[in-house]
Amino acid sequence: MNEILIQNTTAFFEKTFGSAPQKIVLSPGRINIIGEHIDYNDGYVLPAAIDKVICFAFEKNNTQKSKVIAIDLNEEFEIDLTQKIELNDAVWTNYIRGVIKQLQDNGFAFEGFNCVFSSNIPVGSGLSSSAALECGMIFGIAALFDLKIEKKDIALLGQKAEHWVGINCGIMDQFSSVHGLDNKVIKLDCNTLEFEYHNADFKDYSLILMDSNVKHSLFTSEYNTRRIECEQGLAIIKNHFPEVKTFRDCKEEQLLSIQDKFDPTVFKRVHFVVKEINRVIKACEALDKGNIELLGQLLFETHYGLSQEYAVSCEELDMLVDTAKADDAIIGSRLMGGGFGGCTINLIKKGYENEVKRKFSNLYLDTFGIELKFYDVKISNGTQLL
């Protein structure tokens, strides 16, 4: 799949600029195996880069202006590198403007370039196409002008670019896009950026995302509410157990022993967080031992927690996971991402993929009148130069 994307992107570049590109970069989207809504609660996440990518072609143009073409949108823009960089009404261009601004603000010197890019990451699916765009641009500019930028700093610059655009994202998306390795997941501490790799050989199972094709508008307001509820809950825990500094220091037994001190809703939120942090640790152990069945069980447990305790699911996602739980061909399923829509991530026995897709597609259409989309994904390498 990526070979065709690379060929088409390169051919478009040559036709447009009359020369072969000097650098080709692939920058992937990402999934998160487990560890949802705990990046801002001092927990660990377990993301991985996938084989859905943005392909970039670059060349120097020996001017102070850069021309960038988004092949899939059939749109282009030019930016003068000597002028102040400001937000623009063409939203997609702001991610690139933000990247250029961050590089300049951090003292990296470079000149004008030509760039075209094309993608097979489904936009709006929760696979972090914006992080892939940011990190791929930084990686390509660095390669073109021989800028020495560490992987971690590429991720941080990408995150800052997204903040400049106006989206207050965490670091997970950019970090996993840059640091991904074939058949490895990354256990990442989003506070310290300490990380370690764990095996991700799913053996007899395929990793398939089911896109609900819904996005409920609750997300932003509810996200902010969850953060406040968790802060309230942590303060209560610290009041009774001064040795607890963060949620990862808190044992479930401690939490249960002071359950009567909490508002019932706040208790549900912090109970999910404490259990989810523990599930990430268990998931790493399961992967290292090749116990994919246990990993699947943990996915189901996470979805239950996200739905019933953290309350960020919705009717459509619950239906998909409930149906998966009753299907012998599926050993694990959960909503992936912020919630209130988006994708479920599923571990499906090899050989049953088409049967499962047919069944779920028909059932989902009959129930909600909405078409279900499917994305087969494999865990792959992070942003790289071809």
Side-chain angles (χ1 to χ4, degrees):
M1 182 196 294
N2 289 343
E3 286 73 18
I4 295 169
L5 182 70
I6 294 162
Q7 288 170 11
N8 290 344
T9 305
T10 305
F12 187 97
F13 186 97
E14 290 174 350
K15 183 179 177 183
T16 303
F17 295 109
S19 57
Q22 293 171 309
K23 304 289 180 184
I24 302 282
V25 171
L26 298 184
S27 190
R30 68 99 189 98
I31 54 173
N32 188 28
I33 301 294
I34 201 165
E36 216 63 83
H37 281 281
I38 56 169
D39 54 337
Y40 56 86
N41 281 314
D42 297 310
Y44 308 99
V45 289
L46 201 63
I50 57 171
D51 58 343
K52 302 279 189 286
V53 302
I54 302 177
C55 177
F56 301 81
F58 290 89
E59 72 172 359
K60 296 178 183 179
N61 63 20
N62 302 313
T63 74
Q64 289 300 317
K65 293 182 178 179
S66 290
K67 185 173 185 177
V68 181
I69 303 174
I71 299 174
D72 308 329
L73 298 175
N74 194 26
E75 293 181 19
E76 63 183 64
F77 82 104
E78 190 171 79
I79 183 167
D80 188 332
L81 301 181
T82 65
Q83 301 298 308
K84 183 182 178 184
I85 296 174
E86 297 179 324
L87 291 168
N88 188 276
D89 289 340
V91 175
W92 71 270
T93 71
N94 289 331
Y95 294 95
I96 296 163
R97 294 175 199 274
V99 159
I100 292 171
K101 178 173 168 43
Q102 291 304 321
L103 287 169
Q104 289 181 340
D105 288 353
N106 283 273
F108 293 104
F110 57 96
E111 296 176 346
F113 58 89
N114 297 325
C115 171
V116 306
F117 67 90
S118 184
S119 174
N120 56 29
I121 303 173
V123 176
S125 58
L127 301 182
S128 296
S129 56
S130 60
L133 180 60
E134 293 146 5
C135 295
M137 284 299 301
I138 296 168
F139 201 94
I141 294 168
L144 199 59
F145 294 97
D146 199 26
L147 308 178
K148 305 300 182 197
I149 312 177
E150 299 286 334
K151 282 185 178 182
K152 179 182 76 171
D153 294 320
I154 290 176
L156 288 167
L157 288 166
Q159 181 194 28
K160 285 180 181 174
E162 191 142 343
H163 289 178
W164 181 78
V165 172
I167 300 165
N168 192 27
C169 63
I171 191 63
M172 175 177 76
D173 296 352
Q174 290 83 1
F175 198 94
S176 46
S177 185
V178 174
H179 286 83
L181 281 182
D182 199 22
N183 290 323
K184 298 283 184 184
V185 295
I186 308 164
K187 181 188 175 193
L188 172 64
D189 181 326
C190 291
N191 289 343
T192 65
L193 299 189
E194 292 176 352
F195 69 99
E196 59 191 34
Y197 292 106
H198 291 269
N199 293 325
D201 179 3
F202 295 116
K203 297 179 179 174
D204 303 323
Y205 301 95
S206 294
L207 205 52
I208 295 179
L209 309 182
M210 297 186 188
D211 188 344
S212 68
N213 255 332
V214 298
K215 287 189 173 42
H216 296 290
S217 58
L218 289 165
F219 177 67
T220 302
S221 60
E222 292 295 325
Y223 175 85
N224 293 334
T225 302
R226 294 300 174 279
R227 295 195 73 144
I228 292 166
E229 289 166 340
C230 289
E231 287 165 9
Q232 292 171 345
L234 184 59
I236 294 168
I237 296 167
K238 286 179 174 179
N239 193 36
H240 290 84
F241 300 101
E243 70 275 15
V244 172
K245 305 299 181 199
T246 70
F247 279 115
R248 74 174 71 169
D249 303 325
C250 182
K251 294 182 172 59
E252 188 183 2
E253 300 76 38
Q254 291 175 308
L255 191 58
L256 293 171
S257 73
I258 55 171
Q259 184 172 352
D260 60 336
K261 310 297 181 188
F262 290 87
D263 168 87
T265 298
V266 172
F267 176 79
K268 284 182 181 178
R269 307 296 189 247
V270 297
H271 191 227
F272 166 77
V273 170
V274 169
K275 291 180 78 174
E276 183 72 351
I277 289 171
N278 197 37
R279 276 191 287 266
V280 174
I281 295 166
K282 287 181 179 177
C284 291
E285 293 169 355
L287 284 166
D288 289 342
K289 292 175 182 174
N291 189 347
I292 308 306
E293 292 75 15
L294 173 56
L295 177 66
Q297 181 186 323
L298 292 169
L299 296 187
F300 281 130
E301 288 177 14
T302 287
H303 184 82
Y304 176 85
L306 287 166
S307 176
Q308 302 302 310
E309 294 192 312
Y310 218 66
V312 292
S313 189
C314 60
E315 185 183 5
E316 295 89 350
L317 293 171
D318 285 344
M319 176 268 195
L320 289 172
V321 175
D322 288 345
T323 306
K325 202 161 191 179
D327 193 315
D328 290 340
I330 304 177
I331 62 161
S333 178
R334 72 170 186 88
L335 77 85
M336 187 184 77
F340 303 109
C343 291
T344 63
I345 181 170
N346 304 270
L347 283 166
I348 301 175
K349 290 179 184 175
K350 285 183 177 172
Y352 290 87
E353 297 94 339
N354 290 334
E355 182 184 319
V356 164
K357 288 176 183 178
R358 276 194 301 272
K359 172 186 168 183
F360 274 72
S361 191
N362 293 333
L363 191 59
Y364 194 73
L365 189 61
D366 290 345
T367 307
F368 299 111
I370 301 170
E371 183 185 346
L372 193 62
K373 290 181 182 174
F374 302 93
Y375 309 124
D376 298 59
V377 296
K378 289 186 170 62
I379 292 177
S380 192
N381 287 311
T383 309
Q384 59 184 304
L385 198 62
L386 287 191

